Short mmCIF file of all heavy atoms in Angstrom, two decimals:
data_model
loop_
_atom_site.label_atom_id
_atom_site.label_comp_id
_atom_site.label_asym_id
_atom_site.label_seq_id
_atom_site.Cartn_x
_atom_site.Cartn_y
_atom_site.Cartn_z
N ILE A 1 3.55 -30.07 10.52
CA ILE A 1 4.33 -31.30 10.39
C ILE A 1 3.70 -32.16 9.31
O ILE A 1 2.47 -32.24 9.20
CB ILE A 1 4.41 -32.05 11.74
CG1 ILE A 1 5.35 -33.26 11.62
CG2 ILE A 1 3.04 -32.46 12.24
CD1 ILE A 1 5.72 -33.87 12.98
N SER A 2 4.53 -32.77 8.49
CA SER A 2 4.03 -33.61 7.41
C SER A 2 3.53 -34.94 7.92
O SER A 2 3.87 -35.38 9.04
CB SER A 2 5.14 -33.84 6.38
OG SER A 2 6.20 -34.59 6.96
N TRP A 3 2.74 -35.62 7.09
CA TRP A 3 2.27 -36.96 7.45
C TRP A 3 3.46 -37.90 7.63
O TRP A 3 3.49 -38.73 8.52
CB TRP A 3 1.36 -37.49 6.37
CG TRP A 3 0.96 -38.92 6.62
CD1 TRP A 3 0.03 -39.36 7.53
CD2 TRP A 3 1.50 -40.08 6.00
NE1 TRP A 3 -0.03 -40.74 7.50
CE2 TRP A 3 0.86 -41.20 6.59
CE3 TRP A 3 2.46 -40.29 5.01
CZ2 TRP A 3 1.15 -42.51 6.19
CZ3 TRP A 3 2.74 -41.59 4.63
CH2 TRP A 3 2.09 -42.67 5.21
N SER A 4 4.49 -37.74 6.78
CA SER A 4 5.67 -38.60 6.86
C SER A 4 6.54 -38.31 8.07
O SER A 4 7.49 -39.06 8.36
CB SER A 4 6.51 -38.43 5.59
OG SER A 4 7.10 -37.13 5.56
N GLU A 5 6.28 -37.17 8.75
CA GLU A 5 7.08 -36.69 9.90
C GLU A 5 8.46 -36.22 9.47
O GLU A 5 9.26 -35.84 10.32
CB GLU A 5 7.22 -37.77 10.98
CG GLU A 5 5.89 -38.25 11.50
CD GLU A 5 6.04 -39.31 12.59
OE1 GLU A 5 6.58 -38.98 13.66
OE2 GLU A 5 5.64 -40.46 12.35
N GLY A 6 8.71 -36.20 8.16
CA GLY A 6 10.03 -35.80 7.69
C GLY A 6 10.17 -34.31 7.49
O GLY A 6 11.28 -33.83 7.19
N CYS A 7 9.09 -33.57 7.63
CA CYS A 7 9.13 -32.12 7.41
C CYS A 7 8.41 -31.42 8.53
O CYS A 7 7.31 -31.82 8.92
CB CYS A 7 8.47 -31.80 6.07
SG CYS A 7 8.28 -30.05 5.73
N THR A 8 9.03 -30.40 9.07
CA THR A 8 8.38 -29.50 10.01
C THR A 8 8.64 -28.06 9.58
O THR A 8 9.65 -27.77 8.92
CB THR A 8 8.87 -29.69 11.44
OG1 THR A 8 10.29 -29.52 11.49
CG2 THR A 8 8.52 -31.07 11.98
N ASP A 9 7.72 -27.20 9.93
CA ASP A 9 7.84 -25.78 9.57
C ASP A 9 7.34 -24.96 10.74
O ASP A 9 6.40 -25.35 11.43
CB ASP A 9 7.01 -25.49 8.31
CG ASP A 9 7.28 -24.13 7.73
OD1 ASP A 9 8.32 -23.52 8.05
OD2 ASP A 9 6.43 -23.63 6.96
N TYR A 10 7.98 -23.80 10.96
CA TYR A 10 7.62 -22.95 12.10
C TYR A 10 7.57 -21.49 11.66
O TYR A 10 8.34 -21.05 10.80
CB TYR A 10 8.65 -23.09 13.22
CG TYR A 10 8.73 -24.47 13.82
CD1 TYR A 10 9.64 -25.41 13.34
CD2 TYR A 10 7.90 -24.83 14.88
CE1 TYR A 10 9.71 -26.68 13.88
CE2 TYR A 10 7.97 -26.10 15.44
CZ TYR A 10 8.88 -27.02 14.93
OH TYR A 10 8.95 -28.28 15.47
N ALA A 11 6.71 -20.75 12.31
CA ALA A 11 6.74 -19.31 12.16
C ALA A 11 8.01 -18.78 12.81
O ALA A 11 8.49 -19.35 13.80
CB ALA A 11 5.51 -18.70 12.83
N ASP A 12 8.55 -17.72 12.27
CA ASP A 12 9.79 -17.15 12.81
C ASP A 12 9.64 -16.79 14.28
O ASP A 12 10.60 -16.89 15.04
CB ASP A 12 10.18 -15.90 12.01
CG ASP A 12 10.70 -16.25 10.61
OD1 ASP A 12 11.05 -17.42 10.37
OD2 ASP A 12 10.74 -15.34 9.76
N SER A 13 8.46 -16.37 14.67
CA SER A 13 8.24 -15.90 16.05
C SER A 13 8.35 -17.02 17.08
O SER A 13 8.50 -16.73 18.28
CB SER A 13 6.88 -15.22 16.16
OG SER A 13 5.84 -16.11 15.80
N VAL A 14 8.27 -18.27 16.65
CA VAL A 14 8.29 -19.38 17.62
C VAL A 14 9.48 -20.32 17.42
O VAL A 14 9.67 -21.26 18.20
CB VAL A 14 6.98 -20.19 17.58
CG1 VAL A 14 5.78 -19.26 17.78
CG2 VAL A 14 6.85 -20.99 16.31
N LYS A 15 10.28 -20.08 16.38
CA LYS A 15 11.42 -20.97 16.11
C LYS A 15 12.36 -21.00 17.32
O LYS A 15 12.67 -19.96 17.90
CB LYS A 15 12.17 -20.49 14.88
CG LYS A 15 11.51 -20.88 13.56
CD LYS A 15 12.32 -20.41 12.37
CE LYS A 15 11.64 -20.80 11.07
NZ LYS A 15 12.36 -20.28 9.88
N GLY A 16 12.78 -22.20 17.66
CA GLY A 16 13.68 -22.36 18.79
C GLY A 16 12.98 -22.46 20.15
O GLY A 16 13.60 -22.82 21.14
N ARG A 17 11.69 -22.16 20.16
CA ARG A 17 10.92 -22.24 21.42
C ARG A 17 9.83 -23.31 21.36
O ARG A 17 9.51 -23.93 22.36
CB ARG A 17 10.29 -20.90 21.73
CG ARG A 17 11.28 -19.76 21.90
CD ARG A 17 10.60 -18.49 22.40
NE ARG A 17 9.59 -17.98 21.47
CZ ARG A 17 8.32 -17.79 21.80
NH1 ARG A 17 7.87 -18.09 23.00
NH2 ARG A 17 7.47 -17.31 20.88
N PHE A 18 9.21 -23.46 20.19
CA PHE A 18 8.11 -24.41 20.03
C PHE A 18 8.60 -25.62 19.22
O PHE A 18 9.48 -25.50 18.36
CB PHE A 18 6.95 -23.78 19.28
CG PHE A 18 6.18 -22.73 20.06
CD1 PHE A 18 6.67 -22.18 21.24
CD2 PHE A 18 4.97 -22.27 19.59
CE1 PHE A 18 5.99 -21.22 21.94
CE2 PHE A 18 4.25 -21.31 20.26
CZ PHE A 18 4.77 -20.78 21.45
N SER A 19 7.98 -26.77 19.49
CA SER A 19 8.31 -27.99 18.76
C SER A 19 7.05 -28.78 18.47
O SER A 19 6.28 -29.07 19.40
CB SER A 19 9.30 -28.83 19.57
OG SER A 19 9.59 -30.03 18.90
N ILE A 20 6.85 -29.14 17.20
CA ILE A 20 5.68 -29.91 16.82
C ILE A 20 6.09 -31.36 16.60
O ILE A 20 7.18 -31.63 16.08
CB ILE A 20 5.01 -29.32 15.56
CG1 ILE A 20 3.68 -30.01 15.27
CG2 ILE A 20 5.93 -29.39 14.35
CD1 ILE A 20 2.85 -29.31 14.18
N SER A 21 5.24 -32.28 17.01
CA SER A 21 5.51 -33.69 16.83
C SER A 21 4.18 -34.42 16.64
O SER A 21 3.13 -33.86 16.91
CB SER A 21 6.27 -34.27 18.02
OG SER A 21 5.50 -34.15 19.21
N ARG A 22 4.28 -35.66 16.18
CA ARG A 22 3.06 -36.42 15.99
C ARG A 22 3.33 -37.89 16.27
O ARG A 22 4.46 -38.36 16.15
CB ARG A 22 2.49 -36.24 14.58
CG ARG A 22 3.34 -36.83 13.46
CD ARG A 22 2.76 -36.42 12.10
NE ARG A 22 1.43 -36.95 11.89
CZ ARG A 22 0.62 -36.51 10.94
NH1 ARG A 22 0.98 -35.50 10.15
NH2 ARG A 22 -0.57 -37.06 10.79
N ASP A 23 2.28 -38.57 16.62
CA ASP A 23 2.32 -40.01 16.85
C ASP A 23 1.17 -40.60 16.06
O ASP A 23 0.02 -40.59 16.52
CB ASP A 23 2.19 -40.32 18.34
CG ASP A 23 2.30 -41.80 18.63
OD1 ASP A 23 2.10 -42.63 17.71
OD2 ASP A 23 2.57 -42.15 19.79
N ASN A 24 1.48 -41.08 14.87
CA ASN A 24 0.40 -41.61 14.01
C ASN A 24 -0.24 -42.84 14.61
O ASN A 24 -1.40 -43.13 14.37
CB ASN A 24 0.93 -41.88 12.61
CG ASN A 24 1.17 -40.61 11.83
OD1 ASN A 24 0.72 -39.53 12.22
ND2 ASN A 24 1.91 -40.69 10.75
N GLY A 25 0.53 -43.59 15.40
CA GLY A 25 -0.04 -44.78 16.03
C GLY A 25 -1.09 -44.43 17.05
O GLY A 25 -2.06 -45.18 17.24
N LYS A 26 -0.95 -43.28 17.69
CA LYS A 26 -1.94 -42.83 18.68
C LYS A 26 -2.83 -41.74 18.13
O LYS A 26 -3.65 -41.18 18.85
CB LYS A 26 -1.22 -42.32 19.93
CG LYS A 26 -0.43 -43.40 20.66
CD LYS A 26 0.22 -42.84 21.92
CE LYS A 26 0.98 -43.92 22.65
NZ LYS A 26 1.64 -43.40 23.88
N ASN A 27 -2.62 -41.41 16.84
CA ASN A 27 -3.45 -40.39 16.20
C ASN A 27 -3.45 -39.07 16.94
O ASN A 27 -4.49 -38.47 17.17
CB ASN A 27 -4.90 -40.87 16.05
CG ASN A 27 -5.01 -42.00 15.03
OD1 ASN A 27 -4.13 -42.20 14.22
ND2 ASN A 27 -6.11 -42.74 15.09
N THR A 28 -2.27 -38.64 17.35
CA THR A 28 -2.18 -37.36 18.05
C THR A 28 -1.08 -36.49 17.46
O THR A 28 -0.13 -36.98 16.86
CB THR A 28 -1.88 -37.56 19.54
OG1 THR A 28 -0.67 -38.31 19.68
CG2 THR A 28 -3.00 -38.30 20.25
N VAL A 29 -1.22 -35.21 17.63
CA VAL A 29 -0.18 -34.27 17.28
C VAL A 29 -0.02 -33.34 18.47
O VAL A 29 -0.98 -33.02 19.17
CB VAL A 29 -0.52 -33.48 16.00
CG1 VAL A 29 -1.77 -32.64 16.18
CG2 VAL A 29 0.65 -32.61 15.57
N HIS A 30 1.23 -32.97 18.76
CA HIS A 30 1.53 -32.15 19.93
C HIS A 30 2.26 -30.89 19.54
O HIS A 30 2.96 -30.84 18.52
CB HIS A 30 2.41 -32.96 20.90
CG HIS A 30 1.83 -34.27 21.30
ND1 HIS A 30 0.79 -34.38 22.18
CD2 HIS A 30 2.16 -35.53 20.93
CE1 HIS A 30 0.49 -35.65 22.34
NE2 HIS A 30 1.31 -36.39 21.60
N LEU A 31 2.11 -29.88 20.36
CA LEU A 31 2.89 -28.66 20.23
C LEU A 31 3.50 -28.36 21.59
O LEU A 31 2.78 -27.97 22.52
CB LEU A 31 2.02 -27.50 19.76
CG LEU A 31 2.78 -26.20 19.51
CD1 LEU A 31 3.70 -26.34 18.29
CD2 LEU A 31 1.82 -25.03 19.31
N GLN A 32 4.78 -28.59 21.71
CA GLN A 32 5.52 -28.27 22.94
C GLN A 32 5.93 -26.81 22.88
O GLN A 32 6.66 -26.42 21.95
CB GLN A 32 6.72 -29.18 23.09
CG GLN A 32 7.55 -28.90 24.32
CD GLN A 32 6.82 -29.20 25.62
OE1 GLN A 32 6.15 -30.21 25.73
NE2 GLN A 32 6.93 -28.30 26.60
N MET A 33 5.49 -26.03 23.83
CA MET A 33 5.78 -24.60 23.84
C MET A 33 6.62 -24.27 25.07
O MET A 33 6.15 -24.41 26.20
CB MET A 33 4.48 -23.79 23.85
CG MET A 33 3.52 -24.18 22.72
SD MET A 33 2.06 -23.13 22.65
CE MET A 33 1.28 -23.57 24.19
N ASN A 34 7.84 -23.83 24.83
CA ASN A 34 8.77 -23.47 25.90
C ASN A 34 9.07 -21.98 25.84
O ASN A 34 8.83 -21.31 24.83
CB ASN A 34 10.05 -24.28 25.77
CG ASN A 34 9.83 -25.77 25.89
OD1 ASN A 34 8.96 -26.23 26.62
ND2 ASN A 34 10.64 -26.54 25.17
N SER A 35 9.62 -21.47 26.91
CA SER A 35 10.01 -20.04 26.99
C SER A 35 8.87 -19.15 26.51
O SER A 35 9.06 -18.24 25.71
CB SER A 35 11.27 -19.80 26.14
OG SER A 35 12.33 -20.63 26.55
N LEU A 36 7.70 -19.40 27.05
CA LEU A 36 6.53 -18.66 26.60
C LEU A 36 6.62 -17.19 26.96
O LEU A 36 7.17 -16.81 27.99
CB LEU A 36 5.27 -19.29 27.18
CG LEU A 36 4.82 -20.58 26.48
CD1 LEU A 36 3.88 -21.38 27.36
CD2 LEU A 36 4.15 -20.25 25.15
N LYS A 37 6.05 -16.38 26.06
CA LYS A 37 6.05 -14.93 26.22
C LYS A 37 4.61 -14.42 26.25
O LYS A 37 3.71 -15.08 25.71
CB LYS A 37 6.78 -14.28 25.04
CG LYS A 37 8.19 -14.76 24.80
CD LYS A 37 8.76 -14.15 23.53
CE LYS A 37 10.17 -14.66 23.27
NZ LYS A 37 10.74 -14.06 22.01
N PRO A 38 4.38 -13.28 26.86
CA PRO A 38 3.01 -12.73 26.86
C PRO A 38 2.43 -12.60 25.46
O PRO A 38 1.21 -12.79 25.28
CB PRO A 38 3.19 -11.37 27.54
CG PRO A 38 4.35 -11.57 28.45
CD PRO A 38 5.27 -12.49 27.71
N GLU A 39 3.25 -12.33 24.48
CA GLU A 39 2.76 -12.19 23.11
C GLU A 39 2.35 -13.53 22.49
O GLU A 39 1.80 -13.55 21.38
CB GLU A 39 3.78 -11.49 22.21
CG GLU A 39 5.17 -12.07 22.27
CD GLU A 39 6.06 -11.31 23.24
OE1 GLU A 39 5.63 -10.99 24.37
OE2 GLU A 39 7.24 -11.05 22.86
N ASP A 40 2.59 -14.63 23.18
CA ASP A 40 2.10 -15.94 22.71
C ASP A 40 0.65 -16.17 23.12
O ASP A 40 0.04 -17.18 22.72
CB ASP A 40 2.96 -17.07 23.27
CG ASP A 40 4.39 -17.05 22.73
OD1 ASP A 40 4.56 -16.83 21.52
OD2 ASP A 40 5.32 -17.28 23.53
N THR A 41 0.10 -15.29 23.93
CA THR A 41 -1.28 -15.41 24.35
C THR A 41 -2.22 -15.39 23.16
O THR A 41 -2.19 -14.47 22.36
CB THR A 41 -1.65 -14.28 25.33
OG1 THR A 41 -0.87 -14.42 26.53
CG2 THR A 41 -3.13 -14.31 25.68
N ALA A 42 -3.04 -16.43 23.06
CA ALA A 42 -3.96 -16.55 21.92
C ALA A 42 -4.80 -17.82 22.09
O ALA A 42 -4.53 -18.64 22.97
CB ALA A 42 -3.17 -16.65 20.60
N VAL A 43 -5.79 -17.94 21.23
CA VAL A 43 -6.47 -19.21 21.08
C VAL A 43 -5.71 -20.02 20.04
O VAL A 43 -5.44 -19.52 18.94
CB VAL A 43 -7.93 -19.03 20.64
CG1 VAL A 43 -8.60 -20.40 20.42
CG2 VAL A 43 -8.69 -18.24 21.68
N TYR A 44 -5.34 -21.24 20.38
CA TYR A 44 -4.55 -22.08 19.51
C TYR A 44 -5.46 -23.13 18.86
O TYR A 44 -6.24 -23.81 19.54
CB TYR A 44 -3.42 -22.77 20.28
CG TYR A 44 -2.28 -21.84 20.56
CD1 TYR A 44 -2.41 -20.78 21.46
CD2 TYR A 44 -1.06 -21.97 19.88
CE1 TYR A 44 -1.36 -19.90 21.69
CE2 TYR A 44 0.00 -21.09 20.12
CZ TYR A 44 -0.17 -20.07 21.02
OH TYR A 44 0.88 -19.19 21.25
N TYR A 45 -5.32 -23.25 17.54
CA TYR A 45 -6.16 -24.17 16.77
C TYR A 45 -5.31 -25.23 16.09
O TYR A 45 -4.26 -24.94 15.52
CB TYR A 45 -6.90 -23.40 15.68
CG TYR A 45 -7.87 -22.36 16.17
CD1 TYR A 45 -7.46 -21.05 16.37
CD2 TYR A 45 -9.18 -22.69 16.45
CE1 TYR A 45 -8.34 -20.09 16.84
CE2 TYR A 45 -10.08 -21.73 16.91
CZ TYR A 45 -9.64 -20.44 17.11
OH TYR A 45 -10.53 -19.49 17.57
N CYS A 46 -5.81 -26.44 16.15
CA CYS A 46 -5.22 -27.55 15.42
C CYS A 46 -5.92 -27.65 14.06
O CYS A 46 -7.13 -27.40 13.97
CB CYS A 46 -5.44 -28.83 16.22
SG CYS A 46 -4.96 -30.35 15.43
N ALA A 47 -5.17 -28.01 13.03
CA ALA A 47 -5.76 -28.12 11.69
C ALA A 47 -5.19 -29.31 10.95
O ALA A 47 -4.02 -29.67 11.14
CB ALA A 47 -5.47 -26.83 10.90
N GLY A 48 -6.01 -29.89 10.07
CA GLY A 48 -5.59 -31.04 9.30
C GLY A 48 -5.72 -30.77 7.81
O GLY A 48 -6.67 -30.15 7.35
#
């Protein structure tokens, strides 16, 4: 997700299931993951 919040991008494997959002006022970024599959099992890393 961009700093402006105007752009988001997703891997094809998670499109339609995952949603990224951010709250600059609270300095947080979130990843909502729905309809999880066993192949989503992994260590998830946040990056700036």
Side-chain angles (χ1 to χ4, degrees):
I1 186 167
S2 65
W3 174 77
S4 69
E5 302 180 66
C7 174
T8 56
D9 190 19
Y10 296 92
D12 287 344
S13 59
V14 305
K15 281 181 180 176
R17 300 188 298 122
F18 290 13
S19 178
I20 188 170
S21 62
R22 68 188 296 164
D23 183 340
N24 286 346
K26 295 182 180 179
N27 291 342
T28 57
V29 63
H30 304 287
L31 184 68
Q32 178 66 43
M33 306 185 294
N34 299 326
S35 303
L36 283 161
K37 305 175 181 180
E39 51 264 45
D40 294 318
T41 295
V43 177
Y44 283 70
Y45 297 91
C46 174

